[in-house]
Amino acid sequence: MIDNLNKSQYEAVTSTEGPVLIIAGPGSGKTKTLVERTVYLLSKKNVKPENIFLSTFTEKAASELISRISEKLKENNLNINLSEMYIGTLHSIFRRIIEENIESSTFYDNFKVLDDTEQLFFIYTKISYFKKLSGYNDFFKNIPCRNTWEKSKKILQWLDTLNEYGKNLKDIKTQNPSILFLKEAQQVYKNLLVDNNVIDFSTIQAELLEILVNNKNILDELNEKFRYIMIDEYQDTNNIQEKIIFLLGYKYKNICVVGDDDQAIYRFRGATTKNILKFPKRFDDNKCKHITLDTNYRSQLDIVRLCNTWISMLHWNGYRYEKTMYSTENKSISPTASVIRIGGENESSWKENLYKFIKTLYTTKKITDYSQVAFLFKSVQIQQVKELKKYFEERQIPVYSPRSKDFFEKEEIIITIASLLVYFPQTKYLVFDKVKNRTNEVFFYYQFCLENLKKIIKKDEKFYQWIVEKRKENAKENIETFPNLKTIFYSFLQFDTFKKYLNLDNNLEHEKRETHNLAIFTDILDKYESLTKISQISSENINTYLKYFFMNYIRQLREKRVDEFENKDNFPTGAIPFLTFHQSKGLEFPVVIVDSLYSIPQPQIKTYEDELKNLLNLNDNFEPHDKKPYFDLWRLYYTAFSRAQDLLVLTSIENKNGRKRLPSQTFAPLFYRAPDWQDSKNFELKYLNISPTKESNIKKYLSYSSNITLYEFCPLKYQFIKEFDFKQNKNTDTLYGIFFHKVIEKIHKYIIKHKEIPNELKIKNIVDKIVKTMHTTYQIEFEESSICKIYNSINKYLNFINPSEILASEFKVYSIEDGYILEGIFDLIRKKDNSYELIDFKSGKYSEYFIQSYKKQLALYSYLIKNEYNLPNIKTYLYFEEEENPFFEVKITEKDIENEITNFNLTADKLLNNNFPPKPFDEKCNKCDFRWFCNSRKGEM
Ligand code: SF4
């Protein structure tokens, strides 16, 4: 079963008992080792999936692990339901543990996780709570910030830092006004989060730590559960994560951490190398096994050598696990250099040289796709990088640079914003009031947007007429309500001005950039609705609504700078990726061109905030202060250099004499040691073999309810929603159904946990919390009649329940199919007599109309449960809330299952092959957000 492993990898896979430290150098087969180790635990050691905790750094890496482990299990005919395993990023696993123990949390079910932007706006909109705190003025006297936005950012940074160190200040005794402010701010912030049932990433960690520390029973249970813990990228973990990992693995101590201290690059986010460097010392003498994976399967010998040379240039004084990486035998002899340099006396010759080099690779067919070459920079936002990008694009070399942070400078976004400004005549005095707003930089941005629209709209008479008409209508005094911003945006899509940004038929990912950006804009609008909790614009709130939208929300987002769409699964083919060093972590490319060779280690000046951190013990003082800039710089460039497979190019403008030496003294020796790209003696293109770009082997998850039904309804709508992620308007017709489902789910979970039916008070508690959550998430207030209906439905349903029969609720099952992972979530599984019953709950009455669709869903569920668990006597039911006899048995035969799997495969095949034709436009389109677009295209389709 364990094939193709080298000696160290084999040892890493089979050393399962006790603590293990695996130092895995670049390209050393770390993912493969983790996959084999997990499969070994499941198959050879018969460990149950729920006893394994496996975390990695990104969602993408987690998906890859799941896909590869599933494939491996399938190859070996092992039916193991991986959804029971705790696998994902640390945040996602921590969140799952909180959700499973929600009764011991201060938050309640279905809390929403705020991303960075939402978290900042959350604080910004609640700043008045912080202003009231006694130390507020003192705090900002010592840490000057220009405005409320900056102050919000500062508060956020401090709250995150406190969480990252697992520091709760509630019991701290101090006279220091800044610390007093932070102590109160921490409490105020937590209360605000709880009140709104929202949580941010750093609070997820703090919340879990609190649950573990305060609930011995839960800790004991989890200690028993997590028999095998594996943490990937351990060098980039922070203090609180380490605390939690050690608490969870306390009993069995089968903690295996994997990483490479040479690639520790997240100190600025609170990560500390202490975790990996001190890991063995956390256990009694010699208990921790130390394994080094030092064979590099990725890179050519020259590249491996350069990385070894670079990292050993520093004196690490014990702050590094000494290791030398070795190349594999088949890569040891290359007839030409694999590390070269491309320079240029000035910016223009440097750009030209790079262009010529890439063109040569392409015209000589050394590369067949531009995505085989990646440029890596310290930052992609600096002018020089933007100029290089422009230079390539003007010469028809597409560039993919999602983190350039110029989202608001893109034409499609400028035109959308301008159209919204024109649509509302109110913006004349809310936004374009020169006296009030001209000192605000965004005022000029909006003027710029309008000027651009003016130029474009000349060519689109229809749009011009329409928007002038709307503007007139919206100026009328008797108008009571206005459509929401998303609806207005979707109505723009009927016009040529916007249609040209929707690249729906193009298969080249980089050509879909504009469409992706518009989808991101709908997300921005969606978040604005949840932030303001206003889904309906009325004549009463319109001024506040628009003023806040343009003068605060969009303004701040523009200053914060939004990333363009980033395809997390795969970089688009046909374009050269321009990436930051951090973004390239964990990736590899056939040709890597490393720029930013201007860096030098910058000594850090101690600030008031550093002093404050020292007082609170929040500084990572593990490595000497003066050494940190050196260590960080060396690790960062080591990570960048080691991404290259076949060719590493060092590039820099060459300025040997000026004030600013380029490349810097740090990099000059390395740069000039590499042969120049035109040095034909040492670098001969004909000998160069460049590998193709590796295709991602991450499989998509497909389920009947969220993929197949939508695709079968309308493939085009599927493309908008699932492929581009356009945010829809909420369909209020289905909100009662969601409410009903959530209550039923919660009742089941209660019964499973407590083995009894909840009493009246408990039920009230459940309903109240869900009403509150629904309000936060969907801005809906349920009428009394709907709440009464829910109570009646629950009371009726409870008559049918026997707690001992209930096995699982909201139970996820996967099945690995060719090309995708089939996913099903069961509302309820119960065991009655000798049968296993799968029950799906529907709000409303029995409907013959939908029964065929429900039957298909149940057929797939039967397939999943048979496939994964091999259970005998499976019965399938639908439960209709409004029926007197609510249980309807739906008989599923083997033939039904076979037919349904065939249908599923056919549909999956179409959607995985990007086949998204629209359905005929009919009355079912009336509620669809894309109706304006489709209606206007009727003649074209
Ligand atoms: S309007 Fe109709 S055809 Fe267009 S995406 Fe929506 S459902 Fe499909």
Side-chain angles (χ1 to χ4, degrees):
M1 183 167 291
I2 307 176
D3 38 40
N4 297 323
L5 294 179
N6 67 29
K7 205 166 155 261
S8 318
Q9 288 171 337
Y10 184 85
E11 198 187 0
V13 167
T14 51
S15 305
T16 56
E17 308 308 301
V20 182
L21 166 70
I22 303 172
I23 295 296
S28 60
K30 182 177 61 134
T31 308
K32 176 179 172 176
T33 306
L34 274 170
V35 169
E36 293 290 354
R37 197 174 196 271
T38 311
V39 174
Y40 180 79
L41 284 170
L42 291 165
S43 58
K44 292 284 176 208
K45 305 215 69 173
N46 295 323
V47 177
K48 290 184 186 157
E50 67 265 31
N51 295 140
I52 298 177
F53 179 123
L54 169 55
S55 88
T56 184
F57 200 67
T58 59
E59 294 294 347
K60 181 187 168 192
S63 305
E64 188 181 348
L65 276 176
I66 296 175
S67 288
R68 287 174 63 172
I69 294 168
S70 316
E71 285 292 350
K72 203 81 205 168
L73 292 172
K74 196 178 176 198
E75 270 170 33
N76 294 292
N77 289 325
L78 292 164
N79 284 341
I80 293 170
N81 185 12
L82 283 190
S83 68
E84 292 173 41
M85 200 160 107
Y86 287 72
I87 181 166
T89 59
L90 279 175
H91 282 118
S92 70
I93 300 179
F94 290 172
R95 178 186 171 171
R96 175 171 164 186
I97 300 173
I98 296 175
E99 282 169 343
E100 286 172 351
N101 295 283
I102 199 73
E103 286 170 24
S104 305
S105 164
T106 35
F107 293 86
Y108 46 93
D109 251 350
N110 300 308
F111 51 76
K112 176 180 155 69
V113 181
L114 301 176
D115 63 24
D116 295 353
T117 313
E118 289 172 298
Q119 186 191 5
L120 185 51
F121 270 102
F122 184 78
I123 295 178
Y124 179 69
T125 53
K126 312 269 185 263
I127 197 73
S128 58
Y129 292 87
F130 296 95
K131 279 186 178 166
K132 281 184 214 151
L133 304 179
S134 48
Y136 180 86
N137 289 333
D138 279 328
F139 184 81
F140 286 109
K141 207 185 288 164
N142 292 319
I143 306 170
C145 292
R146 280 180 302 167
N147 49 38
T148 310
W149 179 251
E150 281 192 4
K151 286 178 182 168
S152 311
K153 259 196 218 168
K154 192 50 75 188
I155 294 172
L156 179 148
Q157 274 170 12
W158 271 94
L159 294 171
D160 278 357
T161 306
L162 288 168
N163 281 340
E164 274 149 15
Y165 279 82
K167 198 114 194 151
N168 192 329
L169 300 180
K170 71 176 185 293
D171 297 324
I172 201 163
K173 304 241 179 316
T174 176
Q175 294 304 315
N176 181 314
S178 296
I179 297 179
L180 276 174
F181 169 71
L182 288 172
K183 175 180 172 173
E184 289 178 25
Q186 197 178 32
Q187 200 49 51
V188 163
Y189 180 61
K190 176 78 186 283
N191 292 344
L192 287 168
L193 289 178
V194 173
D195 278 354
N196 289 277
N197 206 25
V198 293
I199 197 164
D200 62 72
F201 286 115
S202 77
T203 307
I204 287 179
Q205 303 172 137
E207 181 66 10
L208 178 58
L209 183 64
E210 218 166 296
I211 293 175
L212 298 179
V213 170
N214 297 332
N215 298 277
K216 190 169 175 310
N217 55 334
I218 295 178
L219 184 60
D220 289 348
E221 225 174 78
L222 292 171
N223 260 227
E224 196 52 54
K225 182 176 238 174
F226 296 130
R227 292 175 181 225
Y228 294 91
I229 294 180
M230 287 174 271
I231 314 289
D232 188 14
E233 304 284 0
Y234 196 62
Q235 76 281 0
D236 287 323
T237 52
N238 63 26
N239 277 271
I240 191 168
Q241 289 167 344
E242 190 206 40
K243 276 185 200 165
I244 294 174
I245 291 159
F246 273 81
L247 276 173
L248 293 175
Y250 180 76
K251 179 165 182 195
Y252 289 100
K253 298 202 170 41
N254 294 327
I255 305 174
C256 167
V257 299
V258 188
D260 183 5
D261 48 308
D262 289 340
Q263 297 180 62
I265 55 173
Y266 278 100
R267 191 195 301 277
F268 69 97
R269 271 205 218 156
T272 168
T273 47
K274 186 171 104 208
N275 290 356
I276 195 161
L277 292 172
K278 287 275 174 199
F279 181 78
K281 300 257 179 328
R282 300 284 308 259
F283 304 94
D284 296 341
D285 285 351
N286 300 327
K287 279 269 162 58
C288 175
K289 195 165 203 171
H290 181 153
I291 300 164
T292 305
L293 306 184
D294 55 10
T295 307
N296 182 328
Y297 295 90
R298 174 186 298 156
S299 309
Q300 287 294 342
L301 178 65
D302 282 359
I303 303 169
V304 178
R305 278 189 185 147
L306 175 124
C307 293
N308 285 333
T309 310
W310 169 252
I311 204 73
S312 52
M313 273 162 81
L314 271 197
H315 293 297
W316 292 88
N317 296 332
Y319 293 102
R320 174 176 185 251
Y321 289 115
E322 293 296 333
K323 69 171 185 305
T324 304
M325 293 300 294
Y326 301 95
S327 187
T328 50
E329 273 174 23
N330 60 346
K331 290 201 169 170
S332 55
I333 305 160
S334 167
T336 186
S338 314
V339 178
I340 57 167
R341 70 171 197 268
I342 298 180
E345 288 172 356
N346 50 42
E347 192 169 332
S348 65
S349 64
W350 169 71
K351 284 193 291 203
E352 196 183 324
N353 287 342
L354 285 169
Y355 169 74
K356 274 191 196 156
F357 175 69
I358 289 166
K359 263 293 169 210
T360 312
L361 290 182
Y362 200 73
T363 47
T364 55
K365 298 208 166 31
K366 285 289 161 188
I367 57 168
T368 49
D369 191 291
Y370 286 124
S371 66
Q372 286 170 275
V373 181
F375 273 78
L376 307 187
F377 305 92
K378 217 169 157 190
S379 160
V380 286
Q381 291 175 48
I382 58 172
Q383 201 48 36
Q384 194 180 303
V385 178
K386 291 189 176 182
E387 291 295 331
L388 183 65
K389 178 174 177 252
K390 201 166 136 215
Y391 187 86
F392 283 170
E393 284 174 339
E394 282 167 358
R395 284 155 186 78
Q396 279 69 52
I397 298 185
V399 171
Y400 173 70
S401 180
R403 296 203 188 165
S404 302
K405 303 274 182 194
D406 43 12
F407 177 82
F408 281 101
E409 314 312 318
K410 296 289 173 198
E411 184 190 295
E412 59 279 10
I413 300 306
I414 288 173
I415 297 302
T416 306
I417 290 179
S419 305
L420 287 173
L421 284 163
V422 176
Y423 185 93
F424 290 106
Q426 295 80 350
T427 55
K428 194 174 169 192
Y429 52 87
L430 295 172
V431 177
F432 293 108
D433 182 331
K434 269 198 186 155
V435 181
K436 277 196 217 143
N437 293 336
R438 77 177 160 202
T439 51
N440 202 324
E441 205 262 322
V442 80
F443 173 84
F444 297 99
Y445 171 69
Y446 289 143
Q447 280 196 329
F448 170 74
C449 293
L450 286 189
E451 278 158 25
N452 276 276
L453 179 65
K454 258 189 223 164
K455 282 183 218 155
I456 280 191
I457 210 164
K458 281 185 199 148
K459 295 178 212 139
D460 192 348
E461 182 61 24
K462 271 194 196 162
F463 182 43
Y464 176 74
Q465 296 295 347
W466 180 87
I467 204 155
V468 167
E469 204 44 50
K470 287 286 170 196
R471 190 174 166 84
K472 267 195 225 151
E473 271 175 38
N474 292 336
K476 287 183 190 154
E477 286 200 348
N478 57 355
I479 192 154
E480 283 178 14
T481 57
F482 300 81
N484 66 24
L485 295 177
K486 256 186 285 161
T487 306
I488 298 166
F489 166 80
Y490 283 120
S491 61
F492 292 162
L493 300 188
Q494 63 186 298
F495 299 106
D496 290 347
T497 301
F498 285 88
K499 273 197 260 180
K500 73 169 188 280
Y501 302 130
L502 296 177
N503 298 318
L504 303 172
D505 306 323
N506 204 320
N507 275 336
L508 284 177
E509 188 61 40
H510 75 269
E511 293 193 0
K512 296 180 191 165
R513 186 188 56 72
E514 293 158 331
T515 323
H516 280 300
N517 283 344
L518 289 183
I520 291 175
F521 196 77
T522 63
D523 185 49
I524 287 175
L525 299 179
D526 198 63
K527 284 182 177 148
Y528 185 65
E529 270 178 28
S530 41
L531 189 77
T532 55
K533 299 202 168 57
I534 298 175
S535 51
Q536 178 71 63
I537 315 176
S538 69
S539 53
E540 274 133 50
N541 64 24
I542 185 154
N543 283 357
T544 330
Y545 190 83
L546 291 179
K547 190 171 172 205
Y548 191 73
F549 179 75
F550 287 109
M551 298 312 292
N552 285 67
Y553 185 64
I554 292 291
R555 180 184 134 212
Q556 303 298 0
L557 279 182
R558 188 170 159 263
E559 277 174 24
K560 184 177 186 293
R561 298 182 165 269
V562 172
D563 283 329
E564 282 195 75
F565 170 75
E566 186 172 341
N567 187 331
K568 299 273 187 325
D569 295 341
N570 236 342
F571 288 124
T573 52
I576 296 184
F578 268 33
L579 308 176
T580 65
F581 294 159
H582 285 92
Q583 214 177 343
S584 74
K585 175 180 167 160
L587 305 177
E588 60 184 19
F589 298 91
V591 179
V592 168
I593 303 183
V594 177
D595 183 77
S596 314
L597 303 182
Y598 49 75
S599 299
I600 47 166
Q602 298 280 6
Q604 290 171 338
I605 299 153
K606 285 204 175 174
T607 61
Y608 171 78
E609 288 187 80
D610 287 317
E611 276 173 39
L612 201 54
K613 281 184 187 165
N614 270 341
L615 285 174
L616 287 165
N617 223 350
L618 297 175
N619 263 335
D620 179 14
N621 290 327
F622 172 62
E623 290 166 342
H625 185 77
D626 59 330
K627 294 283 181 220
K628 281 183 197 170
Y630 289 85
F631 290 175
D632 288 351
L633 189 126
W634 253 258
R635 287 169 180 148
L636 187 63
Y637 283 81
Y638 180 82
T639 307
F641 297 149
S642 58
R643 302 304 94 203
Q645 290 169 251
D646 305 314
L647 183 67
L648 171 65
V649 182
L650 305 177
T651 189
S652 172
I653 298 171
E654 292 166 272
N655 182 3
K656 294 176 190 153
N657 304 316
R659 198 165 52 89
K660 191 178 175 196
R661 298 270 300 269
L662 289 175
S664 70
Q665 278 175 338
T666 310
F667 292 100
L670 215 58
F671 184 79
Y672 288 109
R673 204 176 302 149
D676 186 85
W677 66 293
Q678 286 170 319
D679 168 1
S680 53
K681 233 168 59 205
N682 289 305
F683 179 59
E684 283 191 80
L685 206 57
K686 66 177 178 201
Y687 293 123
L688 189 67
N689 280 323
I690 299 180
S691 326
T693 316
K694 277 192 190 143
E695 286 215 358
S696 155
N697 51 5
I698 298 175
K699 288 186 170 178
K700 273 196 179 163
Y701 287 82
L702 298 180
S703 78
Y704 182 77
S705 49
S706 51
N707 298 91
I708 303 302
T709 40
L710 178 58
Y711 185 89
E712 285 179 350
F713 173 68
C714 174
L716 178 62
K717 188 167 182 174
Y718 182 96
Q719 186 186 20
F720 274 121
I721 294 170
K722 296 286 179 186
E723 295 290 309
F724 287 109
D725 210 12
F726 276 88
K727 295 290 182 281
Q728 293 173 274
N729 274 305
K730 280 150 200 133
N731 179 358
T732 44
D733 298 353
T734 57
L735 290 183
Y736 177 80
I738 297 175
F739 183 23
F740 170 70
H741 258 99
K742 283 189 189 293
V743 174
I744 289 288
E745 175 195 336
K746 194 71 193 128
I747 299 268
H748 288 148
K749 289 204 169 140
Y750 181 94
I751 295 171
I752 292 168
K753 185 149 191 162
H754 300 278
K755 315 261 179 293
E756 61 177 26
I757 287 179
N759 61 26
E760 239 175 75
L761 192 68
K762 291 271 185 285
I763 293 172
K764 185 175 177 321
N765 224 341
I766 289 171
V767 174
D768 286 351
K769 282 182 175 172
I770 291 173
V771 167
K772 208 167 166 184
T773 310
M774 297 281 291
H775 176 65
T776 317
T777 319
Y778 302 102
Q779 297 89 53
I780 175 143
E781 293 286 1
F782 283 108
E783 291 184 358
E784 209 41 53
S785 57
S786 301
I787 297 176
C788 273
K789 187 177 168 194
I790 282 284
Y791 279 115
N792 290 338
S793 295
I794 296 167
N795 288 332
K796 179 167 77 180
Y797 175 57
L798 291 180
N799 293 325
F800 296 102
I801 294 187
N802 175 352
S804 64
E805 292 170 352
I806 292 186
L807 298 182
S809 146
E810 287 301 297
F811 188 67
K812 248 190 214 171
V813 181
Y814 304 138
S815 164
I816 311 301
E817 306 294 319
D818 292 338
Y820 65 92
I821 299 176
L822 171 59
E823 182 186 49
I825 304 177
F826 300 56
D827 283 351
L828 182 70
I829 305 178
R830 67 180 188 184
K831 192 171 180 210
K832 214 169 164 67
D833 306 325
N834 280 329
S835 306
Y836 288 90
E837 298 182 344
L838 310 181
I839 304 167
D840 209 55
F841 288 80
K842 308 286 173 198
S843 55
K845 283 189 181 305
Y846 174 88
S847 149
E848 194 60 46
Y849 182 74
F850 289 117
I851 212 76
Q852 278 316 314
S853 166
Y854 295 154
K855 189 169 175 181
K856 287 178 177 187
Q857 187 180 5
L858 289 173
L860 286 164
Y861 286 178
S862 306
Y863 167 78
L864 279 170
I865 209 90
K866 280 185 180 165
N867 215 15
E868 297 300 308
Y869 290 94
N870 221 356
L871 297 180
N873 304 332
I874 295 172
K875 288 183 174 178
T876 42
Y877 290 89
L878 291 168
Y879 180 98
F880 290 95
E881 180 209 8
E882 288 183 15
E883 294 293 334
E884 204 166 324
N885 294 316
F887 284 94
F888 285 73
E889 185 174 0
V890 182
K891 293 230 181 322
I892 304 288
T893 63
E894 285 303 320
K895 189 78 196 149
D896 292 328
I897 294 178
E898 205 181 296
N899 286 344
E900 212 29 61
I901 286 296
T902 310
N903 281 340
F904 198 105
N905 279 331
L906 282 174
T907 311
D909 202 44
K910 283 191 243 167
L911 68 87
L912 292 172
N913 282 308
N914 299 328
N915 189 358
F916 301 116
K919 72 172 188 57
F921 192 84
D922 57 23
E923 76 280 2
K924 285 193 197 140
C925 297
N926 288 343
K927 285 193 173 176
C928 176
D929 285 324
F930 308 101
R931 60 189 178 276
W932 289 280
F933 171 71
C934 293
N935 196 18
S936 71
R937 282 213 322 178
K938 263 196 299 192
E940 302 163 29
M941 294 183 302

